């Protein structure tokens, strides 16, 4: 999303491949849009297919390495582009979508009088972003008023109002505040205060002691120093200021929960009211902060991480005001060091976040970053045009039918679970029946009429877009929940489950080949998009999602005995993934990736039984081959081919350490090893690598 959610990232189908150098700064774990690359010509030359026999490598035994068997052909034809840290089928489709968006944006950026209000906004924002001559000529000038505001901060008493302003323009200093559904009552929207204020992707970057992590912190300090120098500071001062930034951020990081701890919603649920919260914050006027944000006056709030806010308070008590100014100046420059500032900033920002941390060798072309930017700032204005051109109603209907079939399969699956009691089964089915299916795009489009986009004012546009989003987000406090709202834009190549809304969301940009195609049969579509639908649905019942009831309230609906049985089964998967060494010396984190692994395995299983039911009802001949493969085999190959991905070692390391999703190779092979039905389709021997003799299974 454009504005960071105060909640940690969860329940999406794919992680961000890389932090896009620019518009949105780290931490980017929750950024779901995947930056795209690869030459446009490659797209035109090869039609994207859900089941693609030309990608199969017949020299590999499918029972030994199914990922290689299914994907080697794709690897051969898709060398990792220099501007990417990882490149896979998601990026392949994102690239195609981006070309479509580019066409829309080039059309709407022609300054003709006949443009609609939304066309003027998306077109002029794109043109402003592409206009590097003007951006370079203006230099830091558009940011000067904000730098002056910070320079004028002479007393900590004035900080709350300044911080509220900085938060409103997208500067993530100290903490994050936003609206969210109350964990205890999903019908109420209240304010959430979350840990934040870091420039590195997440807290463990500040605490790990291995040589590589120590080196990354030195590289980060060098990056902060360089940005300060670009903003005009003498070298010695910039070096000192970078140390100050690192010291403050390290204190904030150490008091923050780890990303694994953040996955348990109970750890983030500390309801209080503004007055009581204020009593804890003896050195920061929360009431002045709240009043400066213009948030509606609702007393109840959530102090998501009390330990973090205690440290923030201590920091307010003992940090000299000059150091606070330095820290704020860094976060302001950091927030805008992309396409809104001269290329020297843009380049340095890319250098650290995309190259050093994730291994990309070349910066993405500007038009791609500008397209991404318009999608983030005006996603539903751009998305409305996109949907009209690229998502016909028949495809929406077919996806909806598939979703309903998979929900039915889950209902049947719950009946058959031998470890779950009848009492819990009733509740689980209630929750399943309560899931709302959102397909393609919002029923009601967002109204951007209060957002002003001025041609030639890239930085001002970015700032106003942040203010628009901040205001829109806070205005929800105290109002009824809008269940039709989307957290992803229509052209996004991704999907998510929202446990508080109890809904699944599949953007139109994802319901395209190579993941879904109206031209291909059910075996291919269920193996691929069907498994994703099952994945999102299973998130409602994973280690995190299962803690929410059918109405989205954080409330235990399990019997103690069933909970224990669930945890025993989940533990099997924790151990299974803990044992995987992704890069030398770095193992996957079984607990961190548990929710995603449960969703991958459960989702594929649900798609399988839903498809079998449908195939039997339609009397599909299960022995008939197409391109040399039976329907069952094509189902599994289509599943595997969605995960073909090339990843740089730097990115693989980052992902293994901090991403809740396992790398794609394991999302294929490890998942399939747990399904004897897969082994049967390929007649694998019991001793084959693709057969887990003691398979894990929850759903
Ligand atoms: Zn997921």
């Amino acid at each position: 999303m454009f504005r960071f959610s105060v909640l940690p990232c969860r329940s999406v189908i794919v992680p961000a491949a890389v932090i896009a150098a620019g518009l949105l700064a780290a931490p980017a774990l929750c950024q779901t849009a995947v930056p795209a690359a690869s030459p446009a010509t490659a797209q035109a030359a090869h039609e994207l297919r859900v089941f693609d026999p030309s990608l199969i490598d017949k020299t590999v035994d499918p029972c030994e390495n199914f990922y290689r068997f299914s994907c080697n052909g794709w690897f051969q034809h898709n060398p990792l582009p220099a501007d990417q840290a990882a490149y896979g089928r998601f990026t392949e489709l994102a690239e195609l979508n981006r070309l479509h968006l580019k066409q829309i944006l080039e059309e709407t950026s022609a300054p003709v009088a006949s443009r609609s209000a939304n066309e003027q906004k998306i077109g002029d924002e794109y043109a402003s972003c592409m206009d590097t001559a003007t951006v370079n000529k203006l230099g830091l000038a558009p940011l000067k008023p904000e730098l002056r505001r910070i320079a004028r901060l002479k007393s900590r008493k004035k900080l709350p109002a300044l911080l509220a302003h900085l938060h409103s323009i997208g500067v993530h200093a100290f903490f994050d505040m936003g609206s969210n559904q109350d964990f205890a009552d999903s019908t109420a929207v209240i304010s959430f205060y979350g840990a934040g204020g870091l420039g590195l992707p997440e807290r463990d970057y500040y605490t790990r002691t291995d040589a590589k992590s120590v080196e990354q912190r030195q590289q980060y300090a060098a990056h902060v120093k360089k940005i300060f120098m670009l903003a005009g500071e003498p070298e010695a001062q910039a070096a000192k200021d970078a140390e100050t930034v690192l010291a403050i951020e390290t204190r904030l990081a150490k008091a923050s929960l780890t990303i694994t701890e953040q996955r348990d919603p109970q750890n983030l649920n500390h309801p209080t009211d503004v007055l009581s919260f204020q009593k804890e914050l003896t050195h920061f006027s929360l009431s002045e902060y709240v009043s400066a944000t213009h948030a509606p006056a609702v007393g109840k709030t959530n102090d998501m991480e009390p330990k973090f806010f205690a440290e923030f308070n201590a920091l307010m008590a003992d940090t000299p005001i000059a150091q606070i100014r330095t820290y704020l100046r860094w976060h302001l420059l950091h927030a805008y060091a992309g396409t809104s500032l001269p290329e020297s900033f843009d380049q340095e920002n890319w250098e650290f976040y995309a190259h050093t941390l994730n291994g990309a060798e070349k910066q993405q072309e500007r038009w791609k970053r500008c397209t991404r930017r318009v999608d983030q700032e005006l996603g539903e204005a751009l998305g409305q045009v996109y949907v009209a051109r690229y998502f016909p109603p028949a495809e929406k209907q077919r996806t909806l039918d598939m979703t309903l079939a998979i929900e039915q399969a889950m209902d049947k699956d719950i009946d058959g679970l031998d470890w779950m009691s009848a009492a819990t089964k009733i509740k689980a089915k209630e929750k399943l029946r309560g899931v709302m299916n959102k397909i393609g795009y919002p029923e009601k489009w967002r109204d951007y009429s209060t957002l002003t986009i001025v041609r030639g004012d890239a930085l001002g546009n970015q700032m106003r877009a942040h203010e628009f989003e901040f205001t829109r987000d806070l205005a929800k406090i105290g109002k009824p929940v809008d269940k039709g709202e989307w957290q992803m834009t229509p052209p996004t190549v991704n999907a998510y489950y929202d446990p508080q809304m109890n809904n699944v969301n599949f953007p139109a940009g994802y319901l395209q080949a190579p993941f879904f195609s109206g031209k291909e049969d059910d075996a291919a579509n269920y193996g691929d998009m069907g498994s994703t639908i099952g994945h999102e649905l299973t998130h409602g019942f994973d280690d995190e999602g299962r803690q929410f009831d059918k109405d989205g309230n954080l409330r235990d609906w399990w019997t103690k005995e069933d909970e224990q049985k669930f945890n025993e089964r989940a533990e099997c998967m924790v151990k299974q993934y803990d044992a995987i060494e992704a890069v030398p010396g770095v193992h996957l984190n079984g607990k961190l990736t548990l929710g995603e692994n449960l969703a991958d395995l459960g989702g594929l299983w649900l798609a399988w039984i839903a498809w079998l039911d449908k195939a039997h009802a339609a009397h599909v001949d299960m022995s008939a081959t197409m391109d040399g493969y039976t329907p069952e085999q094509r189902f599994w190959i289509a599943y595997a081919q969605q995960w073909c991905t090339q990843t740089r070692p730097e990115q693989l390391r980052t992902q293994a350490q901090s991403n809740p999703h396992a790398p794609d190779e394991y999302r294929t092979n490890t998942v399939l090893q747990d399904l004897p039905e897969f082994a049967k389709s390929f007649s694998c021997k019991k001793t084959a690598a693709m057969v887990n003799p003691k398979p894990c299974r929850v759903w």
Side-chain angles (χ1 to χ4, degrees), residues 10-15 494-497 532 535-536 538-539 542 595-597 599-600 660-661 667:
R10 59 189 184 195
S11 307
V12 300
I13 183 78
V14 282
N494 212 335
Y496 69 98
Y497 170 77
T532 297
H535 173 105
E536 299 308 337
T538 308
H539 271 313
D542 71 13
E596 295 302 331
N597 299 334
D600 279 343
H661 303 79
R667 295 188 79 171

Side-chain angles (χ1 to χ4, degrees), residues 183-199:
F183 278 128
D185 174 8
S186 68
T187 64
V189 182
I190 60 171
S191 57
F192 270 44
Y193 287 79
L198 309 180

Side-chain angles (χ1 to χ4, degrees), residues 466-485:
H466 276 295
E467 280 179 314
F468 171 83
E469 178 54 23
F470 189 75
T471 306
R472 190 189 74 80
D473 181 55
L474 294 191
K476 292 190 275 187
I477 294 172
K479 304 248 171 58
V481 175
D482 175 7
K483 291 206 162 186
E485 189 183 354

Side-chain angles (χ1 to χ4, degrees), residues 530-668:
S531 70
T532 297
I533 295 170
H535 173 105
E536 299 308 337
L537 207 53
T538 308
H539 271 313
F541 303 85
D542 71 13
D543 58 322
E544 182 186 11
R546 72 170 194 84
Q547 300 186 49
F548 294 83
D549 70 11
K550 69 176 168 59
D551 299 314
N553 298 315
L554 184 58
R555 192 177 65 84
D556 197 2
W557 49 272
W558 292 60
T559 66
K560 275 280 153 274
E561 207 183 18
D562 287 338
E563 184 180 351
Q564 201 186 336
K565 285 179 181 165
F566 174 90
N567 288 335
E568 277 163 20
R569 276 162 180 75
E571 192 55 33
C572 173
M573 294 185 75
V574 172
K575 289 203 182 101
Q576 187 180 24
Y577 285 81
D578 269 343
I580 296 171
E581 191 174 16
V583 286
V586 182
H587 280 246
L588 297 188
N589 178 341
K591 272 215 159 63
L592 174 65
T593 56
L594 177 60
E596 295 302 331
N597 299 334
L598 282 166
D600 279 343
L601 180 58
L604 181 55
W605 169 248
L606 293 178
W608 170 256
I609 54 177
W611 170 68
L612 278 185
D613 272 359
K614 196 158 184 241
H616 287 145
H619 304 291
V620 171
D621 179 357
M622 292 305 223
S623 61
T625 58
M626 188 195 290
D627 300 306
Y629 298 94
T630 65
E632 289 191 6
Q633 290 173 333
R634 288 187 297 106
F635 174 95
W636 302 116
I637 295 168
Y639 173 73
Q641 286 183 338
Q642 71 182 303
W643 301 120
C644 305
T645 305
Q646 314 252 38
T647 311
R648 288 183 203 283
E650 293 88 343
Q651 163 72 12
L652 199 56
R653 183 188 177 85
T654 304
Q655 183 173 356
Q657 284 175 334
S658 44
N659 204 293
H661 303 79
D664 294 335
E665 180 181 346
Y666 311 109
R667 295 188 79 171
T668 311

Side-chain angles (χ1 to χ4, degrees), residues 73 97 137-138 353 404 471 618-619 625:
N97 290 352
K137 195 178 84 197
L138 290 171
Y353 287 106
L404 295 172
T471 306
H619 304 291
T625 58

Side-chain angles (χ1 to χ4, degrees), residues 259-279:
I259 43 176
T260 305
E261 289 163 340
Q262 283 184 344
R263 286 201 61 255
D264 186 344
Q266 294 291 1
N267 290 339
L268 302 174
N269 184 29
H270 304 281
T272 180
D273 58 78
V274 175
L275 289 177
S276 310
F277 194 12
Q278 175 67 82
K279 283 190 191 127

